[in-house]
Amino acid sequence: MATNAPPESEQARRQQTQEDAHAEVHRILDQDASKGAVVHKFDPDAPPEHKASAAAKGQDKLKPYTVSDSDIPKGKGAKMPIDTGKAGIVPTITVEDVDRPTEEKRDKAAPVPAPPSGPGAYPSEPAPEVPEWYKIGWRSVANVDVPRFEDEQTRDKAVLERFIPEQFYGDWYHNAGIIIFAVCASHFFTRFNFGWGWLFILLAVCCTYYTTSMARVRRCARDDIQRELVKTRLASEHESADWLNNFLDRFWLIYEPVLSKTVVATVDQILSISTPAFLDSLRLSTFTLGTKAPRIVKVRTFPNTEDDVVMMDWNVSFMPNDVSDMTPREAMKKVNPKIVLAVRVGGRLASAAMPILIEDVTFAGLMRIKLKLVSNFPHIQIVDLTFLDKPTFDFVLKPVGGDAFGFDIAHIPGLSEFIREMVHATLGPMMYDPNFFTLNLEQLLSGVPLDAAIGVVQITVEAARGLKGSKIGGGSPDPYVSVTINNRQELARTKYRNNTYNPTWAETKFILVNTLQDPLVLNVMDYNEHRKDSQLGSATFELQKLLDDATIESVELPILKDGKDRGLLRFNLSYYPVLKPEMIEGKEELPNTNVGIVRLTVHQAKELDSTKSFTGDLNPLAKIYLGNDPSAIHRTQVIKHTNNPVWESPIEFLCLDKRSSLITLKVIDDRDILKDPVLGYMSVRLEDLLAGVSKGRDWWPLSACKSGKIRVSLQWKPLQMAGVLSGVDQYVPPIGVVRLWLQRATDVKNVEAALGGKSDPYVRVLVNHIIKGRTEVINNNLSPEWDQIIYIPVHSLRESMFMEVMDYQHLTKDRSLGSVELHVNELAQESSKDTQYRYESIGKKEAQDPIKLDGGNGQAFQGRLHYVAEFIPCLNLKNVQFDADENELQQAAKGVTDIDKAADSGGHPPSNEERDVTVRHPVDDVQREEREGALANGTVGKVETNPDGGETNDREEISGLELAKEELLKRQSGIIIFYILSGQLHKKARLEVLLDDGYWPAFSTVKARSTHAQWQHIGEAFIKELDFGRVWLRLNESAEGDKDDIIAEWKGNAKPFVDATLGRRCTYTLTNDDDKISTVVVETRYVPVPVKLEPRESINNQGVLRVELIGAKDLRSADRGGKSDPYTVFTLNGQKEFKSQMKRKTLNPEWNETFNVNVSSRVAADFTVEVFDWNQLEQAKSLGIGRIRLDDLEPLEAAERFIPLSSEKHGEKGVVHLRMVFQPEIIARARKSTSTFSVAGRAMTHIGSLPMEAGRGVLHGVGNIFKRDHEKESSLPSQSEVLAPATHPTAQSLGSGGAASRSAESLHGAPSGSGVLRVVVVNAQGLHTSEAKPYAIVRVGDKEHKTRHGHAKTSTPEWNETFVFPASPSTSKLYVCVYDHKTLGRDKVLGEGEVEIWRHLQPGQSSVADLSADLREGGQVRLRLEFDTTAIAHVHDPSVTSLERPTTVSPSRFSIRGRRPGATEDS
């Protein structure tokens, strides 16, 4: 017999079942969470606010998206509050007061091992990156995105294209090729007596080829014709989309519930926060679009668009009441669209709900859809929608009575048509042709806010002139200017001026912009006190112009109204864009700046103090204040009847000083009639908010209440402006320098192996991601030897030097070959003994570190870098910092604040709200009970403040030495700290600062955003010898890393430059060849460093060597008669520098020839002389070679040497008699186009411009220069002539900051009359290709001459040809061009250069100069200039070659005499 179970056991069994079910659900959720999924848990009985809060919290776990150029929406600007940072308020909480339950739970959670994955499962870790050498997709295979340059295109051409002209290689060749083949093959078979069988085989081959090719041609032609016909039909006819409608009928039943749920969730939240004041609430209680899907009636496609654009016309209809195409069963089950809006009327205690019903919605229209395609996800970037005609729609609206007793208002005469016209009037400007409604899908899916600002536009409204218009009652207008973007919401306005037609405002306004595609509209309005303001006219400015020039001054635009001129408006504009993130060690990081845009989002609050309400029911809202400003910059919406509101309300404002900015948030209970009480508040510094966001902390406690928290997020967007990245605020004085001796590298990565070449390596040293030094480039070498010493300023023991090996590229950006990291704390430590030097060296570090390649998870290495590093401390000086100027925005905002305060207070000081602030301890959910009672939300603690309101900081005053300027300038080695403030440029460019040889820039500013440059940039450069150093200031128009484009420069001696700019600001003038003038303002500091230079590092190690070849003795006989025909060849570091004349039949020749050679390093110089025996029919034979030491030469003292000659076969035999003098000069070296660098470039200075202190004992023995003996009379100059300047001194008046123009320099020393200029084109070196037959063209004035081209290909051609030109003071320049001779086709330019003639030649009866002209494309051309005022130029005479006897000129110590009669060309 069955018995019934008692009710208690049944209830326990049900409870046990529910607990088991809950446990199983939690187990599944925990398992999903352990796999990395974001799990959302909702309480089914919780109110909507809690659900929304949990959903918003889950969304924050998603990775944020970084704004890019493609994310810029076409939106509008925003009215912008400005935070000047002058708060004077201490925050109530700091970053330590933030809840951290998430981090604590994460610390307590045990790591869950990843379960093994089966076949087809998702991988537990991110997939590895695809290697770069993979070819994926058609673009990669076709090399579409690979930049191609002229040299590569020439190299990749086929043989037929290179040697056969185009008229013989094209369609004719391909069409007639089979005929040529048949004729040639038939002739071959006949010539060698082949049989008829071979001719039949040839016939079969030709027939097969013809048949196949014709079939292919017909097939391709038929396909092309069909495709064109389809395109024509697509563009002219519509086609049906029944297949798509069939798909929609089935898909709609599945997708419609999901769509309706999404609409309700979105719209319901919007309605809850947008409820009018006379209503209690608005809710969307019912929403469905029915069971019948929308239909696409017809589609029209436009094929003739761009490749990445798809444009179609869709005729769309939504007729849910049409049952003509439905079966009776489908018609019975049909559900019509239905929307029910629940409106609650009344107060808190007495309220009633009233439903509003909308049903039977129908719609039809012709829509044009335009899609912009991109390569990255979601592959559709922009969707443009527009209606070509007004769409038709209908609906049933029952505002009262609901579904049962409701009355359709469409039955009211005229009301339905009025509603339709209102809808058309609203949608017309948005998406009726020709207007487009744009959807940026890429940005929508990325999660970036649509209203995110991309920059700040500063507008200074100066004045208006000649306004036309009057008031209704008579009188002059009271004009003001209203600032808008595309005539939308007013963003700012000026004060009005009383009773004037020529108002002057001089007011500055700031607006945030999220696009520069819309125009800026300035409406000139007439202020009316008792009625609506009237418009006098408007001026329109295209914001896109700010991309070309970020600062535009004195803009004058006509004020127009109805197409008529109503006056003139004058204003200034400046644009400050948001800085993009930088890639640092594979991660995107924002630059650390002090000025930027703050996007603050107030998400929600929880556990608000309900004791401040009688009913315990709150209507909270939040207000945001900046500093001590009594007016709120932002107010959120009111969320009614909740203690846990969700606002999700963002605000953006401009912050001018992040370090001192303070933000106050107040949570207020909204009461209709009574005073709104404050439920709680917090004051927090902006830096603490940013620190909390970076650590994932977003809940902050409220003060002055029993309970409450508020959730706030923050985004910092730095602005690009002067001094943001390398300004005074970011600068830290150096503690010393690291002496890096970069010796060599072995087995570096070859990135040019695919092209058959080798890498061109050099090393660059970065500190804090800023390039501080670079070595020379070694061309085509995988084991380069630099043997170069560079000095790197360092500022902290925590810094590290990043030595990156790079491959030099002339036309593209350099490529990384790997890197080595060196930490400063491995070389230095703090010094407690020496007060002059705060740090000391630990010792030298000699290392052979492996070169780590980029990628490969840091485990890939190739090659080794050999270097020696040593730390050298600098003097601990006081007053190394610069005085910080207010930036551009601070200066402008200061005026705005003063104007606003004066206007608002009527001339009296404003009464700012005094806010007592406290410091709170953190309150988290886990430990609330433990601290409650001990420290509640209402507890107040005091903070000690300074009189100005800031927190007290016990900062220890930095001690250091104070040296006078004279004492500082006595220290030869040190760090020059440059403060580049501003400039007036003739073109937008960046300023580069170079020292000494100018091989690499010491540092560079950012490219100026306007010709009125504002940099406020601080850079450093180490100078080895202050007395002999040089400073270059040059403007480079190209971006950093691209090919240099120098548009102006200034050069001067380092010591006068530092003397003039030390502690004060000087203006320098930079000029170019076109006499365009630019000025820059510079200030410097100098920090001495006690460096002991090696001999090869000194300025005395480089300069110009003048060699006089006197003669030779006891040469070896090479001819049968016991004599030789000797001539000499001098070579420096493998480059031929000079070849003497040939002397016939002698073993003791006398040449008495003189030449100059630039020596970049005497210590490392390999200078040789080799004597050859000339033969007419055979190759010249070597009579011996001798090596010449230069390191033991005393500067500016003559040294007579006898160089012994030796050969491997004959031993030592003979000597060469030389006399040499070395003149120390800085040799400028330039980076060439093929990564090859000349060992010695052009000399920068001349003996006359050298400081007289150069080298100890320099003047000793100068009077005996080049004197052979007392009996012979020397043809060389005396002591006074040696010290005579070769050109005017380059030292200039640095105190005034002036710089002489280059044209004045070039005319200095020009002759007073005309004469003959004889130009000897000697040779060329360092051309960027060795596969050329070079020749040179020399032009002076309107005359030009051409040398012969060689028959062999070479990069070092020798011409030795002489040309005669008429010359006068007006012919100031000589132009030389080197071409590659082409037998077929146009000759190619190998290089172009120019020489300022009168900078090298001096007035007098005869002047001679040997020089090297640098070619812009790379390489040098050696020239010899001889000017004679006594000779008469024969303009029509042919040029005189070196084989002919030149016109006699007066001898000179620099001249290389012409060949003697009968001398022939040496082989």
Side-chain angles (χ1 to χ4, degrees), residues 194-327:
F194 282 82
W196 282 94
W198 289 99
L199 291 178
F200 282 115
I201 293 175
L202 175 62
L203 180 62
V205 170
C206 295
C207 292
T208 304
Y209 172 81
Y210 178 79
T211 305
T212 304
S213 61
M214 290 304 296
R216 187 180 296 117
V217 169
R218 292 191 183 100
R219 182 168 60 251
C220 294
R222 183 167 54 251
D223 183 68
D224 294 341
I225 293 172
Q226 186 176 0
R227 187 184 303 111
E228 293 300 323
L229 292 176
V230 169
K231 287 183 179 180
T232 305
R233 186 171 66 252
L234 286 176
S236 60
E237 300 177 5
H238 288 84
E239 57 181 339
S240 63
D242 292 337
W243 66 271
L244 186 57
N245 293 327
N246 188 24
F247 166 77
L248 287 176
D249 290 339
R250 289 159 173 77
F251 180 72
W252 183 256
L253 299 177
I254 301 173
Y255 178 66
E256 193 277 336
V258 180
L259 177 62
S260 299
K261 184 177 180 181
T262 305
V263 171
V264 169
T266 304
V267 176
D268 199 44
Q269 181 73 14
I270 297 175
L271 292 176
S272 65
I273 64 178
S274 304
T275 305
F278 60 88
L279 297 178
D280 189 60
S281 66
L282 283 175
R283 290 292 185 270
L284 193 63
S285 60
T286 304
F287 183 89
T288 180
L289 294 177
T291 56
K292 187 172 183 181
R295 297 187 62 83
I296 300 174
V297 181
K298 55 184 179 180
V299 178
R300 179 185 175 191
T301 306
F302 296 89
N304 297 324
T305 58
E306 298 179 4
D307 294 340
D308 57 347
V309 174
V310 177
M311 189 167 65
M312 297 176 288
D313 289 347
W314 285 23
N315 194 327
V316 183
S317 67
F318 182 59
M319 303 291 180
N321 293 329
D322 186 8
V323 296
S324 59
D325 56 345
M326 302 176 65
T327 64

Side-chain angles (χ1 to χ4, degrees), residues 111-250:
V112 179
S117 58
Y122 285 101
S124 58
E125 298 180 356
E129 295 184 359
V130 179
E132 296 180 355
W133 50 272
Y134 275 32
K135 289 187 177 293
I136 302 174
W138 67 271
R139 298 182 68 88
S140 177
V141 174
N143 294 324
V144 174
D145 300 319
V146 176
R148 302 183 66 86
F149 309 105
E150 184 178 356
D151 292 341
E152 292 185 16
Q153 293 175 355
T154 305
R155 183 172 56 251
D156 294 342
K157 284 183 179 180
V159 177
L160 289 176
E161 293 182 65
R162 186 177 302 177
F163 296 104
I164 299 180
E166 187 178 356
Q167 60 267 26
F168 300 115
Y169 182 77
D171 294 337
W172 180 89
Y173 170 79
H174 293 288
N175 295 333
I178 185 62
I179 300 176
I180 298 174
F181 170 73
V183 172
C184 295
S186 301
H187 175 73
F188 177 79
F189 291 157
T190 306
R191 178 68 178 82
F192 292 98
N193 299 323
F194 282 82
W196 282 94
W198 289 99
L199 291 178
F200 282 115
I201 293 175
L202 175 62
L203 180 62
V205 170
C206 295
C207 292
T208 304
Y209 172 81
Y210 178 79
T211 305
T212 304
S213 61
M214 290 304 296
R216 187 180 296 117
V217 169
R218 292 191 183 100
R219 182 168 60 251
C220 294
R222 183 167 54 251
D223 183 68
D224 294 341
I225 293 172
Q226 186 176 0
R227 187 184 303 111
E228 293 300 323
L229 292 176
V230 169
K231 287 183 179 180
T232 305
R233 186 171 66 252
L234 286 176
S236 60
E237 300 177 5
H238 288 84
E239 57 181 339
S240 63
D242 292 337
W243 66 271
L244 186 57
N245 293 327
N246 188 24
F247 166 77
L248 287 176
D249 290 339
R250 289 159 173 77

Side-chain angles (χ1 to χ4, degrees), residues 17 441 559 615 675 1264 1329 1369:
T17 304
L441 293 185
I559 302 173
T615 62
K675 181 180 179 181
N1264 296 324
T1329 178

Side-chain angles (χ1 to χ4, degrees), residues 833-852:
K833 302 178 181 178
D834 197 346
T835 58
Q836 293 186 357
Y837 303 98
R838 296 176 58 193
Y839 298 87
E840 62 183 3
S841 174
I842 299 176
K844 291 185 179 180
K845 177 183 177 180
E846 298 185 12
Q848 303 177 10
D849 292 341
I851 301 175
K852 182 170 65 175

Side-chain angles (χ1 to χ4, degrees), residues 1375-1420:
Y1375 300 91
V1376 57
C1377 299
V1378 181
Y1379 289 87
D1380 177 19
H1381 174 72
K1382 299 289 186 181
T1383 305
L1384 297 176
R1386 185 178 180 182
D1387 295 348
K1388 178 183 176 182
V1389 178
L1390 299 180
E1392 297 177 345
E1394 60 185 42
V1395 175
E1396 295 181 358
I1397 300 174
W1398 308 122
R1399 294 184 67 179
H1400 299 276
L1401 299 178
Q1402 297 302 309
Q1405 296 299 319
S1406 176
S1407 296
V1408 179
D1410 292 302
L1411 54 96
S1412 296
D1414 289 333
L1415 304 179
R1416 286 187 288 270
E1417 290 76 6
Q1420 292 178 331

Side-chain angles (χ1 to χ4, degrees), residues 1061 1065-1070 1078-1082 1293-1299:
T1061 59
R1065 300 174 180 179
C1066 295
T1067 302
Y1068 288 88
T1069 302
L1070 287 71
S1078 300
T1079 60
V1080 295
V1081 181
V1082 183
S1293 177
L1294 299 181
S1296 62

Side-chain angles (χ1 to χ4, degrees), residues 1164-1322:
D1166 181 15
F1167 193 38
T1168 61
V1169 57
E1170 189 170 6
V1171 181
F1172 290 90
D1173 173 48
W1174 176 82
N1175 292 303
Q1176 186 172 8
L1177 301 178
E1178 299 177 345
Q1179 186 178 3
K1181 298 178 182 179
S1182 176
L1183 301 180
I1185 185 171
R1187 299 194 177 276
I1188 308 171
R1189 289 189 58 185
L1190 302 181
D1191 55 351
D1192 56 351
L1193 289 178
E1194 187 70 21
L1196 293 180
E1197 289 189 5
E1200 199 162 332
R1201 299 283 178 86
F1202 291 90
I1203 309 300
L1205 301 177
S1206 64
S1207 62
E1208 296 181 359
K1209 184 177 181 180
H1210 302 281
E1212 290 192 7
K1213 178 65 174 175
V1215 293
V1216 176
H1217 188 191
L1218 302 177
R1219 186 179 294 115
M1220 298 179 292
V1221 62
F1222 181 75
Q1223 174 180 317
E1225 294 179 8
I1226 296 176
I1227 303 299
R1229 295 169 297 160
R1231 302 185 302 280
K1232 304 300 189 251
S1233 59
T1234 57
S1235 308
T1236 55
F1237 295 77
S1238 60
V1239 177
R1242 55 189 174 87
M1244 289 175 53
T1245 60
H1246 297 273
I1247 190 171
S1249 63
L1250 281 176
M1252 298 308 294
E1253 307 95 279
R1256 303 187 182 277
V1258 164
L1259 301 181
H1260 176 69
V1262 175
N1264 296 324
I1265 292 180
F1266 288 120
K1267 286 188 177 180
R1268 300 183 184 179
D1269 48 49
H1270 298 283
E1271 290 78 19
K1272 290 191 175 182
E1273 181 178 344
S1274 175
S1275 62
L1276 297 174
S1278 63
Q1279 172 181 349
S1280 59
E1281 290 177 316
V1282 171
L1283 294 178
T1287 181
H1288 71 289
T1290 57
Q1292 298 160 6
S1293 177
L1294 299 181
S1296 62
S1301 66
R1302 190 174 297 181
S1303 60
E1305 290 181 0
S1306 62
L1307 292 178
H1308 183 86
S1312 58
S1314 301
V1316 170
L1317 177 66
R1318 192 174 305 278
V1319 180
V1320 181
V1321 186
V1322 183

Side-chain angles (χ1 to χ4, degrees), residues 48-79:
E49 293 82 2
H50 286 186
K51 296 179 180 179
S53 174
K57 208 168 187 180
Q59 289 178 357
D60 293 339
K61 299 178 182 179
L62 300 178
K63 183 180 179 180
Y65 182 84
T66 305
V67 179
S68 62
D69 290 341
S70 61
D71 295 332
I72 299 174
K74 293 185 178 179
K76 56 185 180 181
K79 188 175 181 180

